[in-house]
Each structure stands twice: as C-alpha cells, then as structure tokens.
Amino acid sequence: MKYKKNINLAVIGTGFMGRTHSYSAINLPFFYDNLPFKPVLHTICSRDKEKGETIKNDWGFAYSETNIDEILANNEIDVIDICTPNIYHLDVILKALEAGKNIYCEKPLVISHEQANKVIKKLESVKSKNICAVVFHNRFSPAILRAKQLIQEGRIGRIISFRCLYLHNSNIDLNKNAGWKQDINIGGGGVLFDLGSHAIDLVRFLCCDTSDITGIFGTSQIFFPVRKGRNGEEWHTNADEAFYITAKLNNGAVGTIEASKLATGTNSDLSIEIYSEKGALKYSLMQPNYLDFYDNIKPDGDFGGERGFTKIECVQRYQKPGNVFPGGKSPVGWLRFHMHSYYLYLESVYNNKLSDLLPSFYDGAAVQNIMEKAYLSDKNGRWETI
C-alpha cells in the first residue's frame, strides 16, 4: 500500500514514557489495517548527546538532537511528543504552539492551574489549528470504552456514587532510591500528579457527560518522611505518597478518588466502580479483559431471577481498523491502551480534527485545576469549590 502521508514525530525525553510512546507509534501499522498515514520516528531529543545517539540507533529514529529549539525550527517535524519530567512541560508546550506544531503531551499537562491557563491562552491565540492532546491512555481499554458506551446509551441511568482507586506499592521499599516523580521540585507534585491525574480523568470521562466535579475535600499522606534519595543518600520526602479525595458532582453524585504508592501487595491496581439508578459498572486494570455490568432493570425472582453482575468479554475488541492483530479474542494489556491512544491521536492529526474520545488540553487543564484544589483543601482542611 502507498501511504498518503508521513507523520514525522519528535519524541522529547528518553525515559520510560519516551520508550512507550516510540514503541506505540512505530508499531501501529501491525495493529491497524490500511492506515492512511505512516508514523515516522524522526527525531529523539535527549540532553545527553551520547545517550541520544545510542537510543536513535536502538529505537529506529532517523536523527537525535539535544536542542529543542532546533527541533521546533525543523519544518519536517509534524508532532512534538512530550515525555519529559513535569516541570519542563510548560516551556516546550508554549514554544511548540508558537512554532505551529501538533502536540502529544504526557500527563499531567503542566504543574499548576496558573500554568494550564497560560497554555490555554496560548492555544487560543495561535493562528494555526494545532492538534493537541494529553496522554490519559487508560481511557482506551476496550472495557472502559464499553462502559462509556453503556453510560451514553442510558443503560445505567443517573449516577449516584463512584469509587476510583489507583494503587501502587512502589514507595513501600525503603531500600529503593526515590525517583524524580517523588520529588516535588521535578514532578511538581507527588502521587496525586502521577496516579491521581489518571483516576480524576477516568471519573470525568465516565461520570461527567452531563455534569462535572464541583467540590472536593482532599487529604494527603506522607508515611515515610525519610528515605533514600535519587543519589542513595538520606532524603526528606517532599511530595505526597498517597492522596485521598471525596468529590461531589453537580448532579448530586458523591464519590471517592484515591491514589497511593503505599498500598502493600498491589502492582498497578487501577479500578473504578460506578453505582447508578438503573445499574452499576466495575472495572479493574488487573483484570482488563472484562467489564462487570449490573442491569437493575432485569427481573428479580426466586433464586435470583436474572439479577447479578455480568462479565462482558471486552478483551481486545477494538473497532475497525484496530481489531486485526492479534485479534479480538486475545487478552489485552497496558501497552495496547497506549497504542490505541496514539492511533486516535495520529488519526486526528491526519484529519486535522481532534477525536472526541481524546483528552484535549482543556481536559488537561480541568484535571490540573481539580488537583490544585485538592492540594488547597488538604492545606486548609476544608471543602473547595471547583
């Protein structure tokens, strides 16, 4: 097949997410038939020239660069993919918008609502129509997309309550050096930014079609105030290790959002439960092939009638053209969600219109505002209005 368009990507950052995004983009043609575009790994950007050259060769990029300004001035590059630590997002975003580039930015969008407002103001002031999205890839599990479909069809009715948790055990081991995501001077926040942003986005994506989060009460937790720093020496923890939120929606629903890296025995346990008038939904990232659906309209009766949670086999049943490999019946996983996110993003770039499913910079700014109000609530010990 002759591709209609190459989409040249510049990935900024060579860490774990830089690897994830690069893998996702370059492998799309295996998973999606007859793409009208070809993702091209054009330039990898690293502050370390030698490391950049090594990764360029290992990952299959055409070029490596240390200077972001050189990348932004390159007219061959279509997409700036931001995978840097959080504190560097703002500068790259503003420069990329000014340069007329499309932007695919890892969460969180920036590190404060003030910065988010700067991004939105710049986005609205530039003349070019940039396609800009934030990477909340957990939206793109087939089970989550099925849940969204059921909600939009009115199958569960008005939402009464919800519970969303994202739990890791990564801060339990005091023999392990802290990473940059645990340092507020680099991450801009703690676990609320890292895991909580995903949980907040998932609540907004599923629960807020006709409403939004209007009030929150937040509580942070640092259980280990002293641990090994990134250099292995004694370091005083300066960012939340766990965060707990009670949230109200303007339709009367109330729920909880929890993010923790202090959850002993967990791995990457993201889950959401939604309880509504006509039904309920449950999803767990650790069992991603299924969505649990309770239909409260079905008749009760002796021995239970037809009541009970039903497991919907979502597996890897993406819509065409994303259902060809490895097949709809194959188990699904975390990397596949990233790939579908990247597919929808590059399709948006190709069509010059952001997909309704993708989280926009406006969504990123909304999540940023909620997180900032959660920190303010924690500081002041009171409910905060969104």
Side-chain angles (χ1 to χ4, degrees), residues 11-15 17-18 21 45-47 68 80-93 104-109 180-181 186-187:
V11 177
I12 316 300
T14 56
M17 294 318 304
H21 288 205
C45 183
S46 172
R47 289 177 296 180
I68 183 66
I80 302 298
D81 183 340
I82 302 173
C83 298
T84 65
N86 306 337
I87 60 168
Y88 304 116
H89 286 192
L90 179 65
D91 184 55
V92 179
I93 290 171
Y104 191 62
C105 182
E106 259 301 329
K107 57 77 197 166
L109 179 63
W180 68 261
K181 291 183 179 180
I186 303 175

Side-chain angles (χ1 to χ4, degrees), residues 160-164 199-200 203-204 207-208 212-218 244-258 370 374 383-384 386:
I160 300 168
S161 66
F162 57 89
R163 184 181 185 218
C164 190
I200 292 168
V203 168
R204 292 187 74 249
C207 301
C208 298
D212 211 337
I213 296 173
T214 56
I216 56 172
F217 191 95
Y244 312 90
I245 294 173
T246 302
K248 296 178 181 178
L249 307 188
N250 61 4
N251 68 350
V254 178
T256 59
I257 301 170
E258 179 180 338
I370 292 167
W383 280 87
E384 293 291 337
I386 306 299

Side-chain angles (χ1 to χ4, degrees), residues 13-14 43-66:
T14 56
T43 301
I44 186 72
C45 183
S46 172
R47 289 177 296 180
D48 184 325
K49 183 175 178 59
E50 185 176 346
K51 181 179 181 181
E53 282 293 314
T54 298
I55 288 178
K56 178 198 78 172
N57 296 328
D58 288 349
W59 295 0
F61 281 84
Y63 307 98
S64 69
E65 182 57 72
T66 59

Side-chain angles (χ1 to χ4, degrees), residues 15-311:
F16 181 78
M17 294 318 304
R19 180 187 295 267
T20 300
H21 288 205
S22 301
Y23 171 91
S24 299
I26 200 63
N27 282 293
L28 288 183
F30 289 100
F31 289 78
Y32 297 84
D33 262 354
N34 301 318
L35 290 178
F37 56 83
K38 180 180 180 180
V40 177
L41 299 182
H42 188 283
T43 301
I44 186 72
C45 183
S46 172
R47 289 177 296 180
D48 184 325
K49 183 175 178 59
E50 185 176 346
K51 181 179 181 181
E53 282 293 314
T54 298
I55 288 178
K56 178 198 78 172
N57 296 328
D58 288 349
W59 295 0
F61 281 84
Y63 307 98
S64 69
E65 182 57 72
T66 59
N67 187 341
I68 183 66
D69 293 328
E70 292 292 328
I71 291 173
L72 294 172
N74 190 334
N75 291 329
E76 292 182 0
I77 293 172
D78 303 298
V79 172
I80 302 298
D81 183 340
I82 302 173
C83 298
T84 65
N86 306 337
I87 60 168
Y88 304 116
H89 286 192
L90 179 65
D91 184 55
V92 179
I93 290 171
L94 295 180
K95 287 182 176 180
L97 286 172
E98 185 65 35
K101 301 296 187 183
N102 303 296
I103 305 170
Y104 191 62
C105 182
E106 259 301 329
K107 57 77 197 166
L109 179 63
V110 280
I111 62 168
S112 71
H113 190 53
E114 180 185 6
Q115 287 192 358
N117 284 338
K118 289 182 180 179
V119 169
I120 297 302
K121 184 177 180 181
K122 186 68 173 179
L123 178 68
E124 294 176 345
S125 71
V126 294
K127 294 180 180 179
S128 60
K129 295 196 183 252
N130 309 76
I131 303 300
C132 301
V134 184
V135 185
F136 288 120
H137 66 281
N138 288 296
R139 289 186 178 200
F140 302 112
S141 157
I144 292 295
L145 294 173
R146 179 64 175 133
K148 180 77 169 177
Q149 192 177 59
L150 289 168
I151 291 168
Q152 290 182 327
E153 290 171 353
R155 297 287 298 280
I156 67 170
R158 289 195 306 160
I159 294 171
I160 300 168
S161 66
F162 57 89
R163 184 181 185 218
C164 190
L165 304 94
Y166 205 164
L167 309 178
H168 279 201
N169 67 355
S170 49
N171 283 19
I172 293 294
D173 186 1
L174 291 180
N175 292 314
K176 180 182 175 183
N177 291 7
W180 68 261
K181 291 183 179 180
Q182 294 166 258
D183 187 345
I184 200 169
N185 296 315
I186 303 175
V191 70
L192 181 60
F193 274 19
D194 187 25
L195 304 183
S197 58
H198 280 297
I200 292 168
D201 179 72
L202 211 51
V203 168
R204 292 187 74 249
F205 184 59
L206 293 178
C207 301
C208 298
D209 262 3
T210 58
S211 62
D212 211 337
I213 296 173
T214 56
I216 56 172
F217 191 95
T219 302
S220 68
Q221 182 182 22
I222 294 177
F223 191 77
F224 297 109
V226 180
R227 61 168 62 246
K228 290 181 179 180
R230 286 185 295 146
N231 61 2
E233 298 178 1
E234 184 179 284
W235 179 70
H236 292 268
T237 307
N238 62 13
D240 44 290
E241 297 179 301
F243 209 99
Y244 312 90
I245 294 173
T246 302
K248 296 178 181 178
L249 307 188
N250 61 4
N251 68 350
V254 178
T256 59
I257 301 170
E258 179 180 338
S260 177
K261 292 187 176 180
L262 298 173
T264 303
T266 62
N267 291 287
S268 186
D269 293 18
L270 171 63
S271 62
I272 188 165
E273 302 170 5
I274 301 172
Y275 302 98
S276 302
E277 289 178 309
K278 296 196 298 183
L281 297 167
K282 294 181 181 180
Y283 168 79
S284 169
L285 178 59
M286 299 305 288
Q287 299 289 333
N289 295 298
Y290 301 96
L291 174 68
D292 289 329
F293 172 44
Y294 185 92
D295 189 345
N296 203 35
I297 303 302
K298 286 190 174 182
D300 199 353
D302 292 340
F303 316 114
E306 297 180 31
R307 290 285 179 89
F309 275 97
T310 298
K311 283 192 176 297

